[in-house]
Amino acid sequence: MSAPAPQGRRPDASMTLLTTMLERPLDPGYAAAAARREAQGGTRATSLRSPLLVITSVLIGLLVGIASYNLTTANKPRSQARADLIGQIQDRRSQVDALATKAAALQGQLTAREAAQLGDPTLTTRTRELATAVGAVPLHGPGFTLTMDDAPGAGADEAAAGNGSAQEGQVLAKDLQFVTNALWEAGAEAVSINGKRLTATSAIRFAGSALVVDYRPLTRPYVITALGDPKRFPAKFADGAGGTYLSTLRSSFGIRVDTQVSDDLTVPAAVGLITRYARGGDTGTATPSPGTPSPSAR
Amino acid sequence: MIPAIGLSLGIIIGLLLQPAVPVWLQPYLPIAVIAALDAVFGAVRAILDGIFDDKVFVVSFLSNVVVAAFIVFLGDKLGVGSQLSTGVVVVLGVRIFSNVAAIRRHLFDA
C-alpha cells in the first residue's frame, strides 16, 4: 500500500456500490419520512390500517397468485398438445401399415387374376419375370444380410442431433446408397432395407436425423437383405467396391457392419408401385409433353 | 396483521380467478414478483424498526416493479436481456436477504 488515504475518505470508497447495496438495504425513504413526521410532532410510524396499505397488500397478493398460477401451469397445454400429436402420429402410422398390408394382398390377387386372364404361358412367364425384376412380388432364396449400425457412442450428443447435422460414426444416406449400388453391381437380384423393397425408383435420403427410404423413416440398425447367387454373389460383393467401402467405414469411423450368409431369405414386395408410361417425343421438340412423365431413377 | 390478511386474500383471489396473462406480459411476471417481495420485506423490517410509512411502501413497491420491468424490457431490446435480468435478480435477492436477516434479528434476537 503506497500513500496514506486522504482525510475523511473511507479506504474502501471505491466499493461504494457494493457497500451501499449490502449495508443499507432498507429504503432510506422510511427513515426520512419518520424523521419528517417526528419533526411535525406526529408518530414515527403510520397506522397499519390505512386503506392505501390494505389495497396495496391485496394487489401484491394478486400479483403473486397470478404469477404462480401462470408460471406453474404454462407447461400443461404444451405437453398435452405434444401428447396429442404423438397419438395422432401413431394412429396414422398404424393406418398406413394396415393400408400397406391391404395393398400387398390386393396385389397378390391382381397377379393371380392376371395369370388366369392371360392364358398364354409365355406371356405369363414374361410378366412374372418382369414383376420379379421390378420388385412387385416377394422373393425368397439364398443371399446374405448386411447389418449396419452407428458407431457405439455416436449420436449421444443430443444438441447436434437436434440440429440435424450428421456426426462422425453415424451411418449416412450416402453410405446406404453406395452399399446398395455395390450390391446391384455385384449381382443382387433383390435388395430390401429394414423390410422395404428397393425398386428402380427407390430413394434413400436423409431427413433431419433419420434415414428415409421412399418417404418411410428407418430405425437403427439397418438390415440390408440381398438375394443372389450363393456361390458368386457374396464373394463378388466383398471383393468389389462394396466390401472396400464397408471395411473403410469400419476402420475409420467405427461403424458396425455385420455380414451373414444364409440359404433362405425373403424380401417383401415393393409397396406403392405405379405405372408410368414413356412416349418418345417428336423429333426436334425439346420439351416433354405434359402427361407423359419419363421414368427417372429417383 | 391487516396487511397480512390483505396479502393472503389477494393470493387466494389470484389463484381462484386464474386470469390468463397475455403472452407478451409473461416474461415480466417473475421479475415483478421478486420486486414486490423486496418491497414487502422492506416494509416488514420498517414495521419492526418502528418507522413504517405506507406512502413510502406503496411508492417503493410500484417503482420497484416498474423499474425492474423496464430494465428487463430494455435488456431484451438491447440483446443483453439475460444478463440485465440476472443483475436485477441478484440485487433484489441481496436486498431481500439483508431485510430478512434484520427481521430475524428483531424476531428471534438471534
Side-chain angles (χ1 to χ4, degrees):
Chain A
M1 301 293 278
S2 47
Q7 294 287 22
R9 277 189 77 205
R10 292 173 58 165
D12 59 350
S14 57
M15 287 176 35
T16 41
L17 179 64
L18 288 175
T19 47
T20 47
M21 193 170 72
L22 292 170
E23 288 175 12
R24 202 176 50 175
L26 187 56
D27 218 322
Y30 285 118
R36 196 169 6 106
R37 264 201 308 280
E38 251 185 326
Q40 289 174 346
T43 55
R44 268 178 73 88
T46 60
S47 154
L48 278 182
R49 287 168 205 235
S50 64
L52 190 60
L53 179 58
V54 176
I55 293 174
T56 313
S57 47
V58 171
L59 267 178
I60 295 182
L62 263 178
L63 179 65
V64 172
I66 294 174
S68 61
Y69 168 70
N70 267 288
L71 294 174
T72 50
T73 62
N75 288 325
K76 250 203 353 208
R78 224 178 294 152
S79 59
Q80 197 164 24
R82 191 163 171 270
D84 270 343
L85 285 173
I86 292 180
Q88 279 189 22
I89 292 176
Q90 285 174 338
D91 275 342
R92 295 274 190 265
R93 206 170 266 170
S94 53
Q95 276 184 13
V96 168
D97 285 336
L99 286 176
T101 338
K102 194 169 168 198
L106 288 174
Q107 185 66 44
Q109 286 183 14
L110 213 61
T111 326
R113 278 172 210 261
E114 238 176 40
Q117 198 79 339
L118 284 178
D120 184 1
T122 46
L123 214 52
T124 322
T125 330
R126 182 83 184 116
T127 326
R128 196 154 292 162
E129 276 175 10
L130 284 176
T132 315
V134 153
V137 289
L139 296 176
H140 71 101
F144 69 92
T145 32
L146 196 63
T147 315
M148 291 178 68
D149 200 353
D150 294 347
D157 189 352
E158 283 291 331
N163 286 343
S165 56
Q167 305 163 292
E168 244 193 45
Q170 275 190 335
V171 176
L172 303 175
K174 72 171 162 93
D175 296 332
L176 283 187
Q177 287 170 0
F178 193 93
V179 167
T180 323
N181 284 336
L183 283 170
W184 291 120
E185 189 192 28
E189 290 169 18
V191 178
S192 81
I193 303 185
N194 277 17
K196 296 174 182 48
R197 181 77 171 274
L198 298 186
T199 64
T201 55
S202 292
I204 303 175
R205 282 202 295 260
F206 211 46
S209 51
L211 293 183
V212 169
V213 167
D214 282 339
Y215 305 109
R216 307 277 325 260
L218 300 179
T219 49
R220 293 167 38 210
Y222 310 110
V223 178
I224 309 178
T225 317
L227 301 183
D229 186 350
K231 290 193 279 289
R232 290 207 299 259
F233 173 45
K236 191 150 182 241
F237 175 74
D239 291 336
T244 329
Y245 192 78
L246 285 180
S247 48
T248 318
L249 284 183
R250 210 188 268 134
S251 53
S252 302
F253 299 104
I255 289 179
R256 291 174 275 188
V257 178
D258 236 332
T259 326
Q260 213 171 16
V261 181
S262 171
D263 269 340
D264 193 15
L265 297 167
T266 36
V267 293
V271 178
L273 281 178
I274 52 175
T275 328
R276 301 184 199 193
Y277 298 96
R279 198 166 50 201
D282 309 324
T283 52
T285 48
T287 52
S289 51
T292 56
S294 41
S296 52
R298 281 231 153 264
Chain B
M1 182 43 60
I2 300 227
I5 295 178
L7 205 63
S8 14
L9 192 67
I11 295 181
I12 291 174
I13 293 179
L15 286 177
L16 280 182
L17 278 184
Q18 294 181 351
V21 174
V23 176
W24 59 269
L25 210 50
Q26 280 193 2
Y28 304 105
L29 275 183
I31 213 92
V33 169
I34 300 181
L37 273 183
D38 174 48
V40 164
F41 282 122
V44 174
R45 181 180 172 180
I47 292 177
L48 289 174
D49 276 347
I51 50 174
F52 177 72
D53 188 304
D54 53 357
K55 207 162 64 128
V56 173
F57 169 54
V58 172
V59 168
S60 80
F61 161 60
L62 289 175
S63 68
N64 266 2
V65 169
V66 167
V67 169
F70 176 69
I71 291 184
V72 169
F73 168 74
L74 193 65
D76 277 341
K77 290 301 169 217
L78 289 177
V80 289
S82 61
Q83 286 92 317
L84 271 186
S85 61
T86 306
V88 169
V89 167
V90 162
V91 168
L92 289 176
V94 165
R95 285 166 59 116
I96 291 179
F97 265 109
S98 330
N99 282 339
V100 168
I103 294 172
R104 175 180 39 103
R105 261 180 261 125
H106 272 293
L107 290 182
F108 301 118
D109 281 329

